[in-house]
Structures are given as C-alpha cells and as structure tokens.
Amino acid sequence: SKLLKETQVERYAKENGYHDTNGLLSALGYGKILPIDLLRLVIPKEQLEEQKPVKEESTITRLVKKITHRTGGQVKVRGVEDILISFGKCCSPVPGDSIVGYVTRGKGVSVHVSDCSKLLATDPDRRVSVEWDKGAGVSRIAKIRVVCVNRPGMLQAMSEAITSQGVNISQATARSDDDQSAVNIFDVEITGLDQLRHVIQSLEKLKGIVSVERVRD
C-alpha cells in the first residue's frame, strides 16, 4: 500500500542518518545515494529484475568522455557510470592516493585527496565516496620539487634519473638561488604512487641532490 511504502522510505531515511524524507531527497540530488536504492523500497523485486533495453551512448556522453580522457574511466563514483569527473588542481591526486569526491554545481564530481585543505573547507553533505578504477591504467600528472647544488650537468642528470623509471616529463622549470643551489619543478606522468616513489628514490641517489619531495599546487 501507499502508506506502507511511505513508511519504508521514512525508515530508510532514519536508518541512514537523514532526519526526514526531504533530507533523503537532497542526498539523492547530490548523488550520495542512488535512485535504485529508493526504487528497491517501493517497486517489487521482480519488476526491477526485468530485462532493460540497452541504452545507446549519446553524442554528449561520448564528447564528455573524450574531453575528460575517461577511456575506461579513472575514478568510480559508487559504481555510477558516465558521470563527469574532474580532478582538483589544488591537490593533484594520483592513483593510490586516498580520495573523496565533491559534487559541484553543474560540473559533475571533483576528486580531491582526502586531506586536501580545500576539500575540508567544503560542505560535508556534498561529498561522495569515490575510488580509483584499478583497471583503467591511465597516467596522471604529479609534481616533484628537487633542490640541488647549482652546477653544470645537474639538470641533465635529474632528467635521466626520471626517464630511467619509464616516466615522461611533461614540463620542467628551474631557478637558481643565492646560496649556490637550484630549485627544480618537474611535472611527471605516472601511473601510481609506487612509480612516483621509484622516481623520487632515483633522484635521491644522485650526487648533489639536497632534497626531493612531491608538491601540490
């Protein structure tokens, strides 16, 4: 009956930490719960299990995938497919980082490292659970800051140490300091934290290196 179904929805709301059905609907709008979660409460299981027609991928969906380079996907949002994903430039997450999604207004889900200061300042109700798609095999850009003695050949040695790990350098900048040291920033394309650690270790072995660290914008 209608009354029974309403009671089931209200019970579901309370069991999942929502004060009332309005809070539940807000969570649905933000993507924190899925429509199927509510449908299971009000539609018989037999009807839900009926074969559904195959939905042809729209032109817009294909364009979004192309623009965001999501061939196979990098991040999963609670199993939801074809949702626009972007990565926070404030923390530049890479595969292996602990991540959290933030539902933006009209721009899909923005993915941040769990301890990102910008994320922690956002509305908790708009955060969603996300995870890396381990089968995607897609590279992400990580930024490495290297301080070294300022002498000829160091830039070449550092570049060779990075590429020896099978890693491509997409951008590099260098500046000299008054104390005869040089600060170098490398943007490297990596597939995960393990590869990043190998790159850092390779740099640390070079004579003349003062420090090596991953940095975030």
Side-chain angles (χ1 to χ4, degrees):
S1 68
K2 181 178 180 181
L3 178 60
L4 177 61
K5 292 176 180 177
E6 289 178 349
T7 302
Q8 290 174 325
V9 173
E10 291 172 353
R11 183 183 302 115
Y12 180 87
K14 292 179 181 179
E15 289 176 350
N16 288 272
Y18 303 103
H19 296 298
D20 51 30
T21 53
N22 287 332
L24 188 64
L25 292 176
S26 295
L28 178 65
Y30 284 135
K32 294 179 72 66
I33 62 174
L34 302 179
I36 189 64
D37 295 331
L38 297 185
L39 289 176
R40 290 193 180 101
L41 301 176
V42 297
I43 298 179
K45 181 179 179 181
E46 298 76 20
Q47 293 183 25
L48 285 177
E49 292 179 347
E50 289 181 358
Q51 185 174 2
K52 302 175 183 177
V54 177
K55 183 179 179 182
E56 185 177 352
E57 189 178 68
S58 68
T59 302
I60 293 178
T61 298
R62 290 195 295 269
L63 180 60
V64 166
K65 286 184 176 181
K66 182 177 180 180
I67 292 174
T68 55
H69 306 288
R70 294 183 63 240
T71 53
Q74 292 183 344
V75 171
K76 295 179 180 179
V77 183
R78 292 194 61 189
V80 179
E81 297 181 354
D82 297 333
I83 187 169
L84 180 61
I85 295 291
S86 61
F87 293 90
K89 294 181 180 179
C90 47
C91 55
S92 301
V94 300
D97 281 329
S98 175
I99 52 176
V100 175
Y102 176 73
V103 181
T104 64
R105 297 187 186 280
K107 295 182 180 180
V109 175
S110 178
V111 178
H112 296 258
V113 177
S114 299
D115 60 355
C116 172
S117 58
K118 186 173 181 179
L119 172 71
L120 296 176
T122 62
D123 180 0
D125 289 336
R126 294 172 63 182
R127 299 174 196 168
V128 293
S129 176
V130 296
E131 62 181 3
W132 292 104
D133 183 354
K134 297 180 180 179
V138 181
S139 298
R140 290 278 304 149
I141 296 294
K143 199 176 292 289
I144 302 175
R145 181 177 184 268
V146 185
V147 179
C148 65
V149 296
N150 189 12
R151 69 185 183 200
M154 283 301 299
L155 184 58
Q156 180 180 347
M158 289 184 290
S159 298
E160 291 176 351
I162 293 173
T163 56
S164 70
Q165 300 302 312
V167 173
N168 181 54
I169 301 172
S170 63
Q171 183 174 313
T173 60
R175 63 176 174 82
S176 300
D177 282 346
D178 295 335
D179 60 354
Q180 300 302 310
S181 67
V183 179
N184 309 269
I185 303 295
F186 295 96
D187 287 3
V188 295
E189 299 177 8
I190 62 166
T191 56
L193 289 181
D194 286 342
Q195 191 174 41
L196 178 59
R197 279 192 287 267
H198 291 155
V199 170
I200 291 175
Q201 291 170 357
S202 181
L203 287 166
E204 290 175 334
K205 293 177 181 178
L206 294 177
K207 185 176 181 180
I209 294 295
V210 177
S211 65
V212 185
E213 63 179 340
R214 175 189 175 187
V215 294
R216 299 168 181 167
D217 291 336

mmCIF file of all heavy atoms in Angstrom, residues 84-128:
data_model
loop_
_atom_site.group_PDB
_atom_site.id
_atom_site.type_symbol
_atom_site.label_atom_id
_atom_site.label_comp_id
_atom_site.label_asym_id
_atom_site.label_seq_id
_atom_site.Cartn_x
_atom_site.Cartn_y
_atom_site.Cartn_z
ATOM 1 N N LEU A 84 30.441 13.039 -15.171
ATOM 2 C CA LEU A 84 31.572 13.920 -15.438
ATOM 3 C C LEU A 84 32.497 13.974 -14.221
ATOM 4 O O LEU A 84 32.059 14.258 -13.109
ATOM 5 C CB LEU A 84 31.063 15.327 -15.775
ATOM 6 C CG LEU A 84 32.140 16.372 -16.080
ATOM 7 C CD1 LEU A 84 32.962 15.959 -17.292
ATOM 8 C CD2 LEU A 84 31.498 17.734 -16.325
ATOM 9 N N ILE A 85 33.777 13.699 -14.453
ATOM 10 C CA ILE A 85 34.773 13.684 -13.386
ATOM 11 C C ILE A 85 35.858 14.710 -13.694
ATOM 12 O O ILE A 85 36.324 14.823 -14.824
ATOM 13 C CB ILE A 85 35.432 12.289 -13.255
ATOM 14 C CG1 ILE A 85 34.417 11.238 -12.810
ATOM 15 C CG2 ILE A 85 36.610 12.332 -12.281
ATOM 16 C CD1 ILE A 85 33.932 11.385 -11.398
ATOM 17 N N SER A 86 36.270 15.457 -12.677
ATOM 18 C CA SER A 86 37.415 16.356 -12.801
ATOM 19 C C SER A 86 38.299 16.156 -11.577
ATOM 20 O O SER A 86 37.856 15.594 -10.571
ATOM 21 C CB SER A 86 36.971 17.823 -12.913
ATOM 22 O OG SER A 86 36.264 18.227 -11.748
ATOM 23 N N PHE A 87 39.546 16.621 -11.667
ATOM 24 C CA PHE A 87 40.483 16.441 -10.558
ATOM 25 C C PHE A 87 40.904 17.806 -10.020
ATOM 26 O O PHE A 87 41.202 18.718 -10.791
ATOM 27 C CB PHE A 87 41.715 15.658 -11.015
ATOM 28 C CG PHE A 87 41.418 14.231 -11.380
ATOM 29 C CD1 PHE A 87 41.075 13.890 -12.680
ATOM 30 C CD2 PHE A 87 41.453 13.230 -10.425
ATOM 31 C CE1 PHE A 87 40.784 12.583 -13.038
ATOM 32 C CE2 PHE A 87 41.170 11.912 -10.762
ATOM 33 C CZ PHE A 87 40.826 11.591 -12.072
ATOM 34 N N GLY A 88 40.908 17.924 -8.694
ATOM 35 C CA GLY A 88 41.271 19.185 -8.071
ATOM 36 C C GLY A 88 42.714 19.576 -8.352
ATOM 37 O O GLY A 88 43.631 18.806 -8.065
ATOM 38 N N LYS A 89 42.914 20.759 -8.922
ATOM 39 C CA LYS A 89 44.267 21.247 -9.177
ATOM 40 C C LYS A 89 44.961 21.629 -7.867
ATOM 41 O O LYS A 89 46.183 21.758 -7.821
ATOM 42 C CB LYS A 89 44.219 22.448 -10.111
ATOM 43 C CG LYS A 89 43.715 22.106 -11.503
ATOM 44 C CD LYS A 89 43.716 23.330 -12.405
ATOM 45 C CE LYS A 89 43.219 22.976 -13.801
ATOM 46 N NZ LYS A 89 43.197 24.158 -14.697
ATOM 47 N N CYS A 90 44.172 21.795 -6.824
ATOM 48 C CA CYS A 90 44.728 22.174 -5.524
ATOM 49 C C CYS A 90 45.535 21.046 -4.891
ATOM 50 O O CYS A 90 46.404 21.292 -4.044
ATOM 51 C CB CYS A 90 43.598 22.584 -4.585
ATOM 52 S SG CYS A 90 42.201 21.420 -4.592
ATOM 53 N N CYS A 91 45.267 19.792 -5.270
ATOM 54 C CA CYS A 91 45.961 18.672 -4.629
ATOM 55 C C CYS A 91 46.472 17.637 -5.634
ATOM 56 O O CYS A 91 47.228 16.736 -5.262
ATOM 57 C CB CYS A 91 45.062 17.996 -3.601
ATOM 58 S SG CYS A 91 43.465 17.443 -4.257
ATOM 59 N N SER A 92 46.040 17.721 -6.897
ATOM 60 C CA SER A 92 46.524 16.845 -7.972
ATOM 61 C C SER A 92 46.601 15.377 -7.560
ATOM 62 O O SER A 92 47.688 14.787 -7.489
ATOM 63 C CB SER A 92 47.902 17.312 -8.443
ATOM 64 O OG SER A 92 47.856 18.642 -8.909
ATOM 65 N N PRO A 93 45.468 14.729 -7.278
ATOM 66 C CA PRO A 93 45.505 13.325 -6.859
ATOM 67 C C PRO A 93 46.016 12.399 -7.954
ATOM 68 O O PRO A 93 45.798 12.647 -9.147
ATOM 69 C CB PRO A 93 44.030 13.028 -6.528
ATOM 70 C CG PRO A 93 43.252 14.028 -7.314
ATOM 71 C CD PRO A 93 44.092 15.255 -7.356
ATOM 72 N N VAL A 94 46.712 11.346 -7.532
ATOM 73 C CA VAL A 94 47.202 10.331 -8.461
ATOM 74 C C VAL A 94 46.747 8.971 -7.953
ATOM 75 O O VAL A 94 46.446 8.805 -6.769
ATOM 76 C CB VAL A 94 48.743 10.373 -8.584
ATOM 77 C CG1 VAL A 94 49.199 11.723 -9.087
ATOM 78 C CG2 VAL A 94 49.409 10.036 -7.255
ATOM 79 N N PRO A 95 46.665 7.967 -8.837
ATOM 80 C CA PRO A 95 46.244 6.638 -8.411
ATOM 81 C C PRO A 95 47.042 6.140 -7.206
ATOM 82 O O PRO A 95 48.267 6.177 -7.199
ATOM 83 C CB PRO A 95 46.508 5.777 -9.653
ATOM 84 C CG PRO A 95 46.331 6.729 -10.788
ATOM 85 C CD PRO A 95 46.920 8.025 -10.291
ATOM 86 N N GLY A 96 46.319 5.691 -6.196
ATOM 87 C CA GLY A 96 46.955 5.254 -4.952
ATOM 88 C C GLY A 96 46.671 6.206 -3.804
ATOM 89 O O GLY A 96 46.691 5.807 -2.637
ATOM 90 N N ASP A 97 46.414 7.485 -4.116
ATOM 91 C CA ASP A 97 46.038 8.446 -3.087
ATOM 92 C C ASP A 97 44.657 8.094 -2.546
ATOM 93 O O ASP A 97 43.776 7.630 -3.286
ATOM 94 C CB ASP A 97 45.975 9.871 -3.662
ATOM 95 C CG ASP A 97 47.338 10.520 -3.804
ATOM 96 O OD1 ASP A 97 48.228 10.209 -2.991
ATOM 97 O OD2 ASP A 97 47.516 11.337 -4.726
ATOM 98 N N SER A 98 44.434 8.358 -1.268
ATOM 99 C CA SER A 98 43.098 8.249 -0.694
ATOM 100 C C SER A 98 42.296 9.447 -1.183
ATOM 101 O O SER A 98 42.732 10.592 -1.026
ATOM 102 C CB SER A 98 43.182 8.254 0.836
ATOM 103 O OG SER A 98 41.891 8.266 1.413
ATOM 104 N N ILE A 99 41.157 9.209 -1.811
ATOM 105 C CA ILE A 99 40.424 10.291 -2.452
ATOM 106 C C ILE A 99 38.973 10.383 -1.988
ATOM 107 O O ILE A 99 38.400 9.411 -1.500
ATOM 108 C CB ILE A 99 40.452 10.149 -3.988
ATOM 109 C CG1 ILE A 99 39.992 8.746 -4.398
ATOM 110 C CG2 ILE A 99 41.833 10.453 -4.535
ATOM 111 C CD1 ILE A 99 39.901 8.539 -5.905
ATOM 112 N N VAL A 100 38.397 11.567 -2.185
ATOM 113 C CA VAL A 100 36.991 11.842 -1.881
ATOM 114 C C VAL A 100 36.442 12.694 -3.014
ATOM 115 O O VAL A 100 37.148 13.540 -3.571
ATOM 116 C CB VAL A 100 36.842 12.587 -0.539
ATOM 117 C CG1 VAL A 100 35.382 12.986 -0.298
ATOM 118 C CG2 VAL A 100 37.333 11.739 0.623
ATOM 119 N N GLY A 101 35.175 12.473 -3.371
ATOM 120 C CA GLY A 101 34.541 13.265 -4.416
ATOM 121 C C GLY A 101 33.700 14.377 -3.820
ATOM 122 O O GLY A 101 33.183 14.264 -2.706
ATOM 123 N N TYR A 102 33.594 15.478 -4.568
ATOM 124 C CA TYR A 102 32.774 16.615 -4.144
ATOM 125 C C TYR A 102 31.833 16.965 -5.288
ATOM 126 O O TYR A 102 32.282 17.223 -6.414
ATOM 127 C CB TYR A 102 33.662 17.812 -3.797
ATOM 128 C CG TYR A 102 32.891 19.066 -3.444
ATOM 129 C CD1 TYR A 102 32.220 19.160 -2.229
ATOM 130 C CD2 TYR A 102 32.834 20.137 -4.326
ATOM 131 C CE1 TYR A 102 31.510 20.302 -1.899
ATOM 132 C CE2 TYR A 102 32.122 21.292 -3.998
ATOM 133 C CZ TYR A 102 31.470 21.365 -2.789
ATOM 134 O OH TYR A 102 30.755 22.493 -2.462
ATOM 135 N N VAL A 103 30.536 16.946 -5.020
ATOM 136 C CA VAL A 103 29.541 17.233 -6.048
ATOM 137 C C VAL A 103 29.488 18.738 -6.293
ATOM 138 O O VAL A 103 29.059 19.500 -5.427
ATOM 139 C CB VAL A 103 28.153 16.718 -5.638
ATOM 140 C CG1 VAL A 103 27.128 17.013 -6.741
ATOM 141 C CG2 VAL A 103 28.199 15.222 -5.360
ATOM 142 N N THR A 104 29.935 19.169 -7.469
ATOM 143 C CA THR A 104 29.948 20.593 -7.805
ATOM 144 C C THR A 104 28.603 20.985 -8.400
ATOM 145 O O THR A 104 27.761 20.136 -8.704
ATOM 146 C CB THR A 104 31.059 20.908 -8.814
ATOM 147 O OG1 THR A 104 30.772 20.221 -10.050
ATOM 148 C CG2 THR A 104 32.410 20.438 -8.302
ATOM 149 N N ARG A 105 28.421 22.247 -8.605
ATOM 150 C CA ARG A 105 27.173 22.730 -9.197
ATOM 151 C C ARG A 105 27.334 22.801 -10.715
ATOM 152 O O ARG A 105 27.921 23.721 -11.252
ATOM 153 C CB ARG A 105 26.827 24.114 -8.632
ATOM 154 C CG ARG A 105 26.572 24.102 -7.130
ATOM 155 C CD ARG A 105 26.061 25.437 -6.641
ATOM 156 N NE ARG A 105 25.947 25.483 -5.188
ATOM 157 C CZ ARG A 105 24.934 24.967 -4.499
ATOM 158 N NH1 ARG A 105 23.939 24.381 -5.143
ATOM 159 N NH2 ARG A 105 24.900 25.049 -3.185
ATOM 160 N N GLY A 106 26.808 21.788 -11.377
ATOM 161 C CA GLY A 106 26.809 21.769 -12.828
ATOM 162 C C GLY A 106 28.077 21.282 -13.478
ATOM 163 O O GLY A 106 28.186 21.285 -14.704
ATOM 164 N N LYS A 107 29.072 20.831 -12.684
ATOM 165 C CA LYS A 107 30.338 20.399 -13.269
ATOM 166 C C LYS A 107 30.708 18.988 -12.835
ATOM 167 O O LYS A 107 31.881 18.629 -12.813
ATOM 168 C CB LYS A 107 31.453 21.381 -12.898
ATOM 169 C CG LYS A 107 31.252 22.776 -13.480
ATOM 170 C CD LYS A 107 32.408 23.691 -13.122
ATOM 171 C CE LYS A 107 32.205 25.085 -13.707
ATOM 172 N NZ LYS A 107 33.324 25.999 -13.373
ATOM 173 N N GLY A 108 29.718 18.212 -12.453
ATOM 174 C CA GLY A 108 29.990 16.835 -12.071
ATOM 175 C C GLY A 108 30.671 16.717 -10.719
ATOM 176 O O GLY A 108 30.469 17.540 -9.823
ATOM 177 N N VAL A 109 31.505 15.688 -10.600
ATOM 178 C CA VAL A 109 32.189 15.392 -9.338
ATOM 179 C C VAL A 109 33.664 15.764 -9.441
ATOM 180 O O VAL A 109 34.357 15.329 -10.351
ATOM 181 C CB VAL A 109 32.050 13.899 -8.984
ATOM 182 C CG1 VAL A 109 32.873 13.563 -7.735
ATOM 183 C CG2 VAL A 109 30.588 13.545 -8.753
ATOM 184 N N SER A 110 34.117 16.586 -8.502
ATOM 185 C CA SER A 110 35.522 16.975 -8.423
ATOM 186 C C SER A 110 36.213 16.065 -7.417
ATOM 187 O O SER A 110 35.757 15.921 -6.279
ATOM 188 C CB SER A 110 35.643 18.442 -7.992
ATOM 189 O OG SER A 110 37.000 18.820 -7.864
ATOM 190 N N VAL A 111 37.312 15.443 -7.836
ATOM 191 C CA VAL A 111 38.021 14.470 -6.990
ATOM 192 C C VAL A 111 39.217 15.134 -6.317
ATOM 193 O O VAL A 111 40.019 15.807 -6.967
ATOM 194 C CB VAL A 111 38.494 13.265 -7.834
ATOM 195 C CG1 VAL A 111 39.276 12.280 -6.963
ATOM 196 C CG2 VAL A 111 37.293 12.575 -8.478
ATOM 197 N N HIS A 112 39.324 14.933 -4.994
ATOM 198 C CA HIS A 112 40.408 15.529 -4.204
ATOM 199 C C HIS A 112 41.063 14.460 -3.334
ATOM 200 O O HIS A 112 40.449 13.447 -3.002
ATOM 201 C CB HIS A 112 39.881 16.633 -3.280
ATOM 202 C CG HIS A 112 39.299 17.804 -4.015
ATOM 203 N ND1 HIS A 112 39.972 18.990 -4.180
ATOM 204 C CD2 HIS A 112 38.097 17.959 -4.620
ATOM 205 C CE1 HIS A 112 39.212 19.834 -4.854
ATOM 206 N NE2 HIS A 112 38.065 19.242 -5.136
ATOM 207 N N VAL A 113 42.309 14.717 -2.939
ATOM 208 C CA VAL A 113 42.963 13.882 -1.930
ATOM 209 C C VAL A 113 42.223 14.092 -0.607
ATOM 210 O O VAL A 113 41.764 15.200 -0.308
ATOM 211 C CB VAL A 113 44.453 14.266 -1.791
ATOM 212 C CG1 VAL A 113 45.118 13.457 -0.688
ATOM 213 C CG2 VAL A 113 45.172 14.040 -3.114
ATOM 214 N N SER A 114 42.095 13.038 0.171
ATOM 215 C CA SER A 114 41.264 13.084 1.377
ATOM 216 C C SER A 114 41.627 14.195 2.344
ATOM 217 O O SER A 114 40.763 14.744 3.037
ATOM 218 C CB SER A 114 41.330 11.735 2.110
ATOM 219 O OG SER A 114 40.845 10.711 1.282
ATOM 220 N N ASP A 115 42.921 14.541 2.439
ATOM 221 C CA ASP A 115 43.326 15.570 3.390
ATOM 222 C C ASP A 115 43.537 16.930 2.724
ATOM 223 O O ASP A 115 44.170 17.818 3.305
ATOM 224 C CB ASP A 115 44.603 15.148 4.127
ATOM 225 C CG ASP A 115 45.777 14.925 3.177
ATOM 226 O OD1 ASP A 115 45.579 14.999 1.948
ATOM 227 O OD2 ASP A 115 46.893 14.676 3.659
ATOM 228 N N CYS A 116 42.996 17.103 1.538
ATOM 229 C CA CYS A 116 43.127 18.387 0.828
ATOM 230 C C CYS A 116 42.446 19.495 1.639
ATOM 231 O O CYS A 116 41.283 19.358 2.040
ATOM 232 C CB CYS A 116 42.491 18.283 -0.551
ATOM 233 S SG CYS A 116 42.388 19.848 -1.444
ATOM 234 N N SER A 117 43.146 20.591 1.887
ATOM 235 C CA SER A 117 42.598 21.674 2.694
ATOM 236 C C SER A 117 41.368 22.315 2.040
ATOM 237 O O SER A 117 40.429 22.729 2.718
ATOM 238 C CB SER A 117 43.670 22.747 2.937
ATOM 239 O OG SER A 117 44.153 23.257 1.705
ATOM 240 N N LYS A 118 41.367 22.366 0.710
ATOM 241 C CA LYS A 118 40.217 22.944 0.007
ATOM 242 C C LYS A 118 38.989 22.061 0.166
ATOM 243 O O LYS A 118 37.868 22.549 0.335
ATOM 244 C CB LYS A 118 40.552 23.138 -1.469
ATOM 245 C CG LYS A 118 39.473 23.873 -2.240
ATOM 246 C CD LYS A 118 39.913 24.194 -3.657
ATOM 247 C CE LYS A 118 38.832 24.958 -4.414
ATOM 248 N NZ LYS A 118 39.258 25.292 -5.800
ATOM 249 N N LEU A 119 39.192 20.737 0.114
ATOM 250 C CA LEU A 119 38.082 19.806 0.294
ATOM 251 C C LEU A 119 37.521 19.911 1.708
ATOM 252 O O LEU A 119 36.300 19.928 1.909
ATOM 253 C CB LEU A 119 38.543 18.380 0.021
ATOM 254 C CG LEU A 119 37.529 17.281 0.356
ATOM 255 C CD1 LEU A 119 36.369 17.305 -0.634
ATOM 256 C CD2 LEU A 119 38.185 15.904 0.353
ATOM 257 N N LEU A 120 38.400 19.979 2.707
ATOM 258 C CA LEU A 120 37.962 20.016 4.101
ATOM 259 C C LEU A 120 37.138 21.262 4.408
ATOM 260 O O LEU A 120 36.387 21.285 5.381
ATOM 261 C CB LEU A 120 39.182 19.944 5.029
ATOM 262 C CG LEU A 120 39.991 18.647 4.957
ATOM 263 C CD1 LEU A 120 41.218 18.726 5.849
ATOM 264 C CD2 LEU A 120 39.133 17.447 5.339
ATOM 265 N N ALA A 121 37.272 22.289 3.566
ATOM 266 C CA ALA A 121 36.516 23.524 3.777
ATOM 267 C C ALA A 121 35.153 23.498 3.081
ATOM 268 O O ALA A 121 34.396 24.465 3.173
ATOM 269 C CB ALA A 121 37.327 24.715 3.269
ATOM 270 N N THR A 122 34.812 22.385 2.406
ATOM 271 C CA THR A 122 33.562 22.300 1.668
ATOM 272 C C THR A 122 32.441 21.726 2.528
ATOM 273 O O THR A 122 32.671 21.222 3.625
ATOM 274 C CB THR A 122 33.734 21.426 0.414
ATOM 275 O OG1 THR A 122 34.087 20.077 0.833
ATOM 276 C CG2 THR A 122 34.812 21.977 -0.490
ATOM 277 N N ASP A 123 31.230 21.775 1.980
ATOM 278 C CA ASP A 123 30.039 21.245 2.639
ATOM 279 C C ASP A 123 30.128 19.715 2.701
ATOM 280 O O ASP A 123 30.157 19.060 1.665
ATOM 281 C CB ASP A 123 28.803 21.675 1.853
ATOM 282 C CG ASP A 123 27.510 21.176 2.474
ATOM 283 O OD1 ASP A 123 27.562 20.494 3.515
ATOM 284 O OD2 ASP A 123 26.434 21.486 1.919
ATOM 285 N N PRO A 124 30.161 19.129 3.898
ATOM 286 C CA PRO A 124 30.273 17.668 4.027
ATOM 287 C C PRO A 124 29.135 16.918 3.337
ATOM 288 O O PRO A 124 29.327 15.785 2.884
ATOM 289 C CB PRO A 124 30.241 17.443 5.550
ATOM 290 C CG PRO A 124 30.677 18.740 6.131
ATOM 291 C CD PRO A 124 30.144 19.799 5.214
ATOM 292 N N ASP A 125 27.949 17.525 3.241
ATOM 293 C CA ASP A 125 26.806 16.853 2.639
ATOM 294 C C ASP A 125 26.967 16.668 1.135
ATOM 295 O O ASP A 125 26.224 15.904 0.522
ATOM 296 C CB ASP A 125 25.519 17.643 2.907
ATOM 297 C CG ASP A 125 25.095 17.571 4.364
ATOM 298 O OD1 ASP A 125 25.492 16.591 5.038
ATOM 299 O OD2 ASP A 125 24.376 18.465 4.824
ATOM 300 N N ARG A 126 27.931 17.365 0.548
ATOM 301 C CA ARG A 126 28.120 17.255 -0.895
ATOM 302 C C ARG A 126 29.327 16.378 -1.252
ATOM 303 O O ARG A 126 29.738 16.308 -2.408
ATOM 304 C CB ARG A 126 28.266 18.646 -1.518
ATOM 305 C CG ARG A 126 26.981 19.446 -1.409
ATOM 306 C CD ARG A 126 27.151 20.876 -1.850
ATOM 307 N NE ARG A 126 27.507 20.986 -3.264
ATOM 308 C CZ ARG A 126 27.741 22.143 -3.873
ATOM 309 N NH1 ARG A 126 27.672 23.265 -3.184
ATOM 310 N NH2 ARG A 126 28.041 22.170 -5.147
ATOM 311 N N ARG A 127 29.888 15.712 -0.259
ATOM 312 C CA ARG A 127 30.996 14.795 -0.514
ATOM 313 C C ARG A 127 30.451 13.402 -0.788
ATOM 314 O O ARG A 127 29.475 12.974 -0.165
ATOM 315 C CB ARG A 127 31.957 14.760 0.685
ATOM 316 C CG ARG A 127 32.588 16.116 0.983
ATOM 317 C CD ARG A 127 33.402 16.072 2.254
ATOM 318 N NE ARG A 127 33.692 17.417 2.741
ATOM 319 C CZ ARG A 127 34.177 17.687 3.940
ATOM 320 N NH1 ARG A 127 34.455 16.681 4.779
ATOM 321 N NH2 ARG A 127 34.388 18.931 4.309
ATOM 322 N N VAL A 128 31.071 12.706 -1.714
ATOM 323 C CA VAL A 128 30.635 11.363 -2.088
ATOM 324 C C VAL A 128 31.820 10.412 -2.088
ATOM 325 O O VAL A 128 32.968 10.821 -2.256
ATOM 326 C CB VAL A 128 29.960 11.349 -3.476
ATOM 327 C CG1 VAL A 128 28.652 12.105 -3.452
ATOM 328 C CG2 VAL A 128 30.879 11.919 -4.548
#
